[in-house]
Amino acid sequence: MASSSPAAETWLLENGHIKPLSKEMRHGHGRSHGRTAHNVSSSSLRKKSDLTLVRKVPCAIVRDVLANVQEVILGTKLFVLFIAIPIAIVAHYKNFGRPWVFGLSLLGLTPLAERVSFLTEQIAFFTGPTVGGLLNATCGNATELIIAIFALIQHKVDVVKYSLLGSILSNLLLVLGTSLFCGGIANISKEQKYDRKQADVNSLLLLLGLLCHVLPLMFRYAGVGESAAITAQATLNLSRVSCIVMLLAYFGYLVFQLWTHRQLFDAQAEDNEGDDNEDEEAVLGFWSAFAWLVGMTILIALLSEYVVGTIEAASDSWGISVSFISVILLPIVGNAAEHAGAIIFAFKNKLDISLGVALGSATQIAMFVVPLCVIISWIIGVRMDLDFSLLETSSLALAIIVTAFTLQDGTSHYIKGLVLLLCYIVIGACFFVSNIPQNQPNGVNLGSSSEGIMRV
């Protein structure tokens, strides 16, 4: 919506204190308002709002509130899922079935994750390219991070590890596989191409993250003859050092993406500017977007607490292991909006956007969210290391290697996507059949040996 309308200026510019970047300034800097593949992907699920009726409201305050509600709540095709949020809250306080609370909370997280992407983009219109890029780099996977923090507070280290592992696997195999498969089928007569440079950078970072996961696992097996407590402490120390290295690598990645080699990441946004003209102007003022972002984050935190607190009840009620729920269901539902956008752009033969979403999210989880969770657990006194056990680490390694081989030549067809999808199905089946009753040891330690955290 253009900001030239006098009626719109009143509520868009927030009393005139902040002026959005001009169109010339944004075009002069490519992605100067901080748009990333995640933003472009999420925009495919947004609806253009018609504020004609809102502008006829005589009271300025009421007009501002209605305009904000229409843009934020009704501005997404997933707005119908917002009804799950109050129902989940009522179900929690009225002591309805805990599996219902879990399911409703998951549904409520779906539109919230998409709206966070929208709101960070709105804030980025006013903050410029650097801050906008940093916002996207830190808020892109806010849902997973908040769920992980609440699980750590409740000492559910296994849920944290499973859910973060599932997010990486989901992005690399399910989202990327579906995008390549659907894009290949829809454009079967065309040769699909994409920029290999971004894929190479993300693959290198994922391989570094894999090294940091493999070494603590191997360290535990190499510690034969030593006491379990000594080996566990050494593994924990190695994991913490590795996490600091991973965070430094992620910081270097941000510098690479936002400053030194920005042109590599600008290309995909510039190629798609013509398809997203409705998103060229801010539709919220800075403080409105900031207030909405805080509110959405609080709701995500509330629903995340419900999800973590009821996951065992849902597991018992549905007869599905916590590992399968955490690895498969949580990532799929929590990022449904972003994933759907990646697939839509693959249909349009815009694979750079799809790859930016899938690989970007996987890299962010592996190199930022996972090490950050280990550091947070260190601060709050919970023992979490990078030893994800043999089955989980093997699944991660094979997913990264298969993805790297898939993307090595810069071209795509549907058989590549099919192979990735089949890999995901096999891994999902593996976690589905490992339905071991809770608290029953199976000989595989998921967490720290000294705490005896067993696989669920």
Side-chain angles (χ1 to χ4, degrees):
M1 183 181 65
S3 60
S4 57
S5 169
E9 289 286 342
T10 304
W11 62 275
L12 286 179
L13 299 186
E14 300 292 318
N15 300 320
H17 292 305
I18 301 177
K19 296 291 184 182
L21 297 174
S22 67
K23 187 177 293 186
E24 291 76 14
M25 290 173 64
R26 287 196 304 276
H27 285 300
H29 293 283
R31 272 174 39 199
S32 61
H33 57 290
R35 297 200 84 195
T36 64
H38 299 78
N39 295 121
V40 177
S41 174
S42 296
S43 67
S44 63
L45 295 176
R46 295 173 193 165
K47 298 194 304 182
K48 189 174 182 179
S49 299
D50 184 2
L51 299 175
T52 304
L53 294 177
V54 173
R55 295 194 185 104
K56 295 180 180 179
V57 176
C59 179
I61 297 178
V62 176
R63 185 170 63 246
D64 294 351
V65 172
L66 291 177
N68 275 263
V69 169
Q70 182 164 340
E71 292 290 355
V72 178
I73 303 299
L74 302 179
T76 173
K77 297 175 183 177
L78 302 173
F79 74 93
V80 68
L81 295 179
F82 276 114
I83 192 64
I85 298 174
I87 296 177
I89 296 173
V90 171
H92 173 75
Y93 284 103
K94 293 295 184 180
N95 295 319
F96 291 170
R98 292 170 67 81
W100 282 101
V101 176
F102 177 82
L104 289 168
S105 298
L106 272 186
L107 286 179
L109 286 172
T110 301
L112 289 176
E114 191 276 328
R115 290 289 85 185
V116 166
S117 175
F118 164 74
L119 292 168
T120 54
E121 181 180 349
Q122 293 300 304
I123 293 176
F125 270 106
F126 301 93
T127 58
T130 302
V131 178
L134 291 174
L135 274 174
N136 286 309
T138 52
C139 297
N141 294 97
T143 303
E144 291 92 336
L145 180 58
I146 293 174
I147 290 176
I149 291 174
F150 275 100
L152 284 175
I153 292 174
Q154 299 183 28
H155 292 254
K156 296 181 179 180
V157 179
D158 50 352
V159 173
V160 177
K161 290 185 174 182
Y162 276 131
S163 62
L164 296 181
L165 171 70
S167 293
I168 300 173
L169 295 177
S170 174
N171 280 291
L172 291 181
L173 300 180
L174 178 63
V175 181
L176 186 57
T178 306
S179 298
L180 296 182
F181 179 75
C182 294
I185 294 295
N187 302 275
I188 198 166
S189 60
K190 304 176 184 177
E191 183 181 25
Q192 291 189 290
K193 296 182 178 181
Y194 52 85
D195 186 3
R196 277 187 54 193
K197 298 183 182 69
Q198 294 184 55
D200 290 344
V201 172
N202 284 284
S203 297
L204 282 173
L205 288 169
L206 288 171
L207 288 171
L208 172 60
L210 176 60
L211 176 68
C212 293
H213 283 279
V214 169
L215 290 182
L217 175 66
M218 295 297 99
F219 197 81
R220 173 156 62 92
Y221 286 106
V224 178
E226 298 181 3
S227 67
I230 295 176
T231 302
Q233 186 60 44
T235 301
L236 185 62
N237 293 337
L238 175 61
S239 298
R240 289 169 176 173
V241 172
S242 298
C243 286
I244 295 174
V245 172
M246 293 164 73
L247 289 175
L248 289 175
Y250 186 72
F251 176 76
Y253 171 65
L254 293 182
V255 173
F256 181 86
Q257 181 181 14
L258 299 177
W259 283 284
T260 61
H261 289 70
R262 185 170 185 161
Q263 68 277 5
L264 299 181
F265 299 86
D266 282 345
Q268 61 186 13
E270 292 171 355
D271 291 341
N272 290 277
E273 273 188 10
D275 298 327
D276 300 285
N277 287 330
E278 69 271 16
D279 294 323
E280 286 298 318
E281 302 290 342
V283 295
L284 293 177
F286 176 82
W287 292 111
S288 290
F290 182 78
W292 278 105
L293 182 60
V294 172
M296 293 289 181
T297 304
I298 292 174
L299 283 177
I300 290 176
L302 180 64
L303 295 183
S304 298
E305 184 178 9
Y306 292 170
V307 166
V308 172
T310 57
I311 189 170
E312 290 91 351
S315 172
D316 295 336
S317 176
W318 299 344
I320 303 175
S321 65
V322 172
S323 61
F324 182 81
I325 293 177
S326 301
V327 172
I328 305 299
L329 295 186
L330 285 183
I332 290 177
V333 177
N335 292 307
E338 185 179 272
H339 296 173
I343 297 169
I344 289 172
F345 275 100
F347 270 110
K348 298 179 180 180
N349 199 21
K350 300 180 184 298
L351 287 185
D352 282 329
I353 300 294
S354 301
L355 264 65
V357 172
L359 295 179
S361 289
T363 302
Q364 192 175 67
I365 292 290
M367 301 302 294
F368 176 67
V369 179
V370 171
L372 185 61
C373 286
V374 174
I375 299 300
I376 291 174
S377 69
W378 188 5
I379 294 173
I380 64 178
V382 177
R383 296 175 65 91
M384 175 181 173
D385 56 30
L386 293 177
D387 179 3
F388 277 31
S389 194
L390 187 59
L391 174 63
E392 290 75 18
T393 305
S394 299
S395 300
L396 177 64
L398 293 174
I400 293 175
I401 293 171
V402 169
T403 302
F405 272 103
T406 301
L407 302 176
Q408 64 181 341
D409 63 350
T411 62
S412 177
H413 42 72
Y414 69 89
I415 196 66
K416 290 186 174 182
L418 179 62
V419 170
L420 292 179
L421 280 174
L422 293 177
C423 290
Y424 187 75
I425 291 174
V426 172
I427 292 176
C430 179
F431 286 102
F432 182 79
V433 299
S434 62
N435 191 359
I436 296 160
Q438 197 170 357
N439 299 324
Q440 177 176 317
N442 69 338
V444 181
N445 187 350
L446 178 67
S448 171
S449 301
S450 62
E451 286 191 338
I453 301 173
M454 297 297 178
R455 284 186 53 204
V456 182

